[in-house]
Amino acid sequence: MYAKDMIYINHTSEGVTSNFKCQQGVKQGCLLNPLLFGLYLDALEGRLDGRKCDAPALANMHVWLLLFTDDLVLMSESKMGLQQQLDAFQQFCAKHGLIMNVEKTKVTVFNSLDPC
């Protein structure tokens, strides 16, 4: 599908790079993104148990994982629970040859008296 695609990088201060081949990933907005994300990460939900990772409850249901398009949110009410989820996610990624983009990874704390 992308066999002959060439890309370039536009640096505002340095100008535009020469064209080069992009040999991994899918394009931004590609219709394959949500499909591939769903195929790979469908098994992740089974590896994470909300009760073991202090997942918050909503209407008496534990909500520890949100998946949307190609984004993932892990939720916990404790640092230890979130670390357990992150460890499980890291093991999942290693097993399936996936790489998490650490630069896009964020931690958000709500209503905490104990700052991370």
Side-chain angles (χ1 to χ4, degrees):
M1 180 175 198
Y2 298 130
K4 296 180 183 181
D5 276 0
M6 300 293 282
I7 63 171
Y8 64 90
I9 299 173
N10 186 3
H11 295 281
T12 55
S13 61
E14 300 174 22
V16 178
T17 65
S18 300
N19 289 349
F20 58 93
K21 278 189 171 185
C22 181
Q23 299 177 334
Q24 66 182 31
V26 292
K27 290 182 177 182
Q28 182 73 23
C30 177
L31 296 177
L32 286 176
N33 283 345
L35 174 65
L36 293 173
F37 183 76
L39 289 173
Y40 267 94
L41 293 183
D42 189 49
L44 178 62
E45 187 174 6
R47 293 202 52 168
L48 298 175
D49 185 342
R51 292 162 294 189
K52 293 180 181 176
C53 64
D54 300 325
L58 178 64
N60 296 322
M61 291 181 58
H62 292 281
V63 181
W64 62 92
L65 176 68
L66 298 175
L67 302 170
F68 181 74
T69 310
D70 61 352
D71 293 316
L72 168 115
V73 177
L74 300 173
M75 295 185 291
S76 178
E77 292 186 336
S78 71
K79 291 181 204 177
M80 188 164 70
L82 183 58
Q83 187 61 56
Q84 289 172 339
Q85 287 183 313
L86 290 170
D87 292 344
F89 184 59
Q90 187 276 328
Q91 292 169 2
F92 178 86
C93 288
K95 179 179 177 181
H96 293 89
L98 302 173
I99 300 170
M100 178 174 59
N101 186 340
V102 179
E103 292 179 9
K104 291 184 176 182
T105 302
K106 307 289 184 243
V107 174
T108 303
V109 178
F110 296 99
N111 299 325
S112 175
L113 299 175
D114 180 25
C116 292

